[in-house]
Amino acid sequence: MKNIAVVGSQWGDEGKGKIVDWLSEQADVVIRFQGGHNAGHTLVIDGTTYKLRLLPSGIVRKNKISIIGNGVVVDPWALLDEINEIQLKNVVVNENNFIISESANLILPFHKEMDEIREDAAGNEKIGTTRRGIGPAYEDKVGRRSIRVMDLRSEKNLDQRLELVLSHHNAIRKGLGKKIFEKQKLKKNLLKIAPEILKFSQPVWLKIDEFKRQKKKILFEGAQGILLDVDHGTYPFVTSSNTVASSAATGTGCGPNSINYVLGITKAYTTRVGEGPFPTELKDDIGEMLGVRGKEFGTVTSRKRRCGWFDGVLVRQTIKISGINGIALTKLDVLDEFDEIKMCIQYELDGKKIDYLPASVEDQLKIKPIYKTFPGWKVSTNGVKNMDDLPDNAKNYIYAVEDFIGTKISSVSTSPEREDTILIENPFEI
């Protein structure tokens, strides 16, 4: 038995959905362990596109169990909409193949409103959230006042929990000159959908223990990139949860020894959505070309992504922070038409060279990238499935990336299609 955690090694949008879907063919169970419906995964299977936000990528495969862990914050209405949407594409979602942790915290309408109020009031200091209430929901979780899936079982308990959380939120809303949020209508709406949510609810930690005893292969699926981790990312321009691989244990209810291999998904260049530092960002024609060729628009928000050259310093750092054993390199084909390709191998900060991203956002905004330049290959790699079929310059770039980051590249993705993947090393077979 081997269990694998999949995480993004950059700022997200690395192509985790496709890789997790591709790996899930060999897995028995696929589990989301953090984030919310702010992070989207796009899968292209036999010409059909699936855009997932909360549902784990394994849901599109038959005979797999998909789980939303306790580390995920769940907008129950968004989840039900997503289930209905994917069922229209003939994907089965029922109590036999889908489980929600009874301990998962809910995103409620006042969380979304608070997210919007804060972003609008922040002006130039805005974080660049997706305005879906993820941050405020995590705040209530840490503040021990949130509503969890299990709270939907009892009207009396739900009433008490809503009273507690709304006393906090309404005090803030009053201070900001906003209308207070009424409890009764929200309670009525929650009780209306409660049966649809609760039918999927189970103690996930217990199910994982059962799966382990049955020797099932488990795939732990992260939502955002490590550079958005609330502790290890470009704080404060981060998400509100821990996105590193160790969160797969806390976000599902199993020990860290349950994870045997950590796979880092890494784009062959770099992108970022929202505000915050981005050392290799290109605000020129090359950056625009990367965005166009890579179709760099968010799955959830359709926001245009900022684009830049591959930052080897950052990826090497996230590999160490998250204990990554192997890299799945994605979107190599996006680089096909460039005359030359650059990789950041060092930074300059106040006239000094450094080989890591400093923790201070002030320093992060000041650093300048130092590049190594590689000749482009000017040949299509789209759909290539064998390393030997790649042009020499493409292979040289891959080997240079591997050598610099100090971690094995286990696969290379050459298109959004599931099968267009060069397999070098199968994590399930190591």
Side-chain angles (χ1 to χ4, degrees), residues 5-14 16 33-34 222-235 237-239 241-247 262-266 272 314-324 327 357:
V6 177
V7 292
S9 70
Q10 294 156 306
W11 277 292
D13 310 309
E14 301 96 346
K16 290 183 293 297
F33 60 84
Q34 54 77 218
Q224 292 116 332
I226 296 167
L227 291 168
L228 292 175
D229 186 280
V230 69
D231 286 306
H232 302 289
T234 47
Y235 188 93
F237 301 97
V238 293
T239 193
S241 60
N242 288 111
T243 60
V244 291
S246 54
S247 296
V262 179
L263 180 66
I265 314 302
T266 306
R272 174 164 201 170
L314 281 183
V315 173
R316 185 173 60 185
Q317 185 165 322
T318 59
I319 284 170
K320 297 179 187 299
I321 289 169
S322 207
I324 290 172
I327 289 292
L357 184 73

Side-chain angles (χ1 to χ4, degrees), residues 37 53-54 74-85:
H37 64 308
R53 295 169 290 279
L54 273 168
V74 178
D75 181 322
W77 293 279
L79 175 61
L80 293 176
D81 285 345
E82 188 173 340
I83 290 172
N84 291 334
E85 180 183 313

Side-chain angles (χ1 to χ4, degrees), residues 204-267:
V204 164
W205 67 270
L206 195 59
K207 294 300 296 184
I208 292 176
D209 185 64
E210 177 185 323
F211 296 145
K212 287 166 63 179
R213 285 187 278 107
Q214 294 171 349
K215 306 297 183 184
K216 292 186 181 296
K217 294 178 181 177
I218 304 173
L219 197 58
F220 297 90
E221 177 184 12
Q224 292 116 332
I226 296 167
L227 291 168
L228 292 175
D229 186 280
V230 69
D231 286 306
H232 302 289
T234 47
Y235 188 93
F237 301 97
V238 293
T239 193
S240 300
S241 60
N242 288 111
T243 60
V244 291
S246 54
S247 296
T250 55
T252 59
C254 63
N257 60 347
S258 299
I259 303 164
N260 310 112
Y261 187 98
V262 179
L263 180 66
I265 314 302
T266 306
K267 198 176 287 186

Side-chain angles (χ1 to χ4, degrees), residues 21-50:
D21 169 64
W22 177 68
L23 286 170
S24 68
E25 184 175 22
Q26 305 164 71
D28 302 299
V29 182
V30 183
I31 308 179
R32 270 282 305 274
F33 60 84
Q34 54 77 218
H37 64 308
N38 55 338
H41 291 162
T42 300
L43 313 178
V44 181
I45 303 168
D46 297 330
T48 301
T49 299
Y50 303 91

Side-chain angles (χ1 to χ4, degrees), residues 150-167:
M150 65 182 72
D151 293 323
L152 299 177
R153 294 175 186 153
S154 162
E155 181 176 353
K156 179 181 178 182
N157 179 61
L158 179 60
D159 188 86
Q160 292 171 343
R161 299 300 301 170
L162 284 171
E163 191 72 35
L164 174 65
V165 70
L166 285 175
S167 67

Side-chain angles (χ1 to χ4, degrees), residues 395-415:
K395 287 188 282 189
N396 291 340
Y397 177 69
I398 292 169
Y399 297 143
V401 168
E402 183 178 68
D403 182 64
F404 184 82
I405 63 178
T407 300
K408 176 81 173 179
I409 291 179
S410 61
S411 63
V412 180
S413 172
T414 57
S415 97

